[in-house]
Amino acid sequence: IDTSNNTKITHHVYLTPPADSSSPLFVMHHGAGSSGLSFAACAGEIRKIIPKAGILSIDARDHGSTEVTLASGEDGDGSIELDLSLETLNRDLVFVVRETQTRMGWENLPDLILVGHSLGGAVITDVARQGELGSKVLAYAVLDVVEGKLVHPQ
């Protein structure tokens, strides 16, 4: 729940956990207007090369099956401002990775390889630069990254 704007986000992810504690987890972030499913074929190819690797592919807020709703029972007009700022998407990705760690019962995060397409490339680059996931980030790859300041559409 985000108390600054009274919203609740329900994150949706696609997860194949790493087969063991020494295998990496690829964290995938899609581009604007897409979903975590855009990495399905890529995930299959990664697992052909590294069969024990895990894949965590997220649906970003207001994409795929991830939902942003009003946190309270207030009726209002039901409209919620779309926030696809780099700061917000960064916070969401770190939250999803940490929440996955908690729900999977991992004492430590597996080694991470961040992969992002377009808008997702900007997000994973920012997450890697901020260092919130620590030394567990082994590498990151960007595919057709969007440069410059990210703004939400009008």
Side-chain angles (χ1 to χ4, degrees):
I1 295 182
D2 185 343
T3 56
S4 68
N5 62 3
N6 192 35
T7 58
K8 174 185 169 191
I9 184 165
T10 304
H11 293 279
H12 182 263
V13 302
Y14 302 89
L15 174 65
T16 300
D20 56 43
S21 61
S22 64
S23 298
L25 176 65
F26 285 77
V27 178
M28 319 297 257
H29 196 298
H30 61 80
S34 193
S35 76
L37 285 175
S38 63
F39 282 103
C42 179
E45 292 302 312
I46 289 169
R47 297 219 359 122
K48 284 179 187 175
I49 297 165
I50 310 170
K52 293 183 177 185
I55 309 287
L56 172 63
S57 188
I58 73 162
D59 285 348
R61 62 177 49 222
D62 294 310
H63 288 75
S65 296
T66 292
E67 298 178 344
V68 180
T69 57
L70 288 173
S72 68
E74 297 174 17
D75 290 336
D77 65 1
S79 64
I80 299 170
E81 184 177 337
L82 178 63
D83 180 4
L84 297 178
S85 68
L86 189 55
E87 178 183 346
T88 297
L89 295 175
N90 175 322
R91 186 174 58 245
D92 286 352
L93 182 61
V94 171
F95 172 82
V96 166
V97 170
R98 291 297 186 188
E99 186 67 12
T100 301
Q101 177 184 2
T102 299
R103 290 185 182 215
M104 293 303 296
W106 298 330
E107 185 175 332
N108 298 302
L109 278 174
D111 291 332
L112 303 173
I113 299 167
L114 309 179
V115 180
H117 170 252
S118 190
L119 171 67
V123 175
I124 62 103
T125 299
D126 191 59
V127 167
R129 184 181 61 82
Q130 295 286 338
E132 294 180 57
L133 297 174
S135 62
K136 286 299 187 176
V137 176
L138 295 183
Y140 62 97
V142 295
L143 312 169
D144 192 26
V145 69
V146 175
E147 293 185 27
K149 183 177 180 185
L150 300 176
V151 295
H152 47 85
Q154 298 299 320

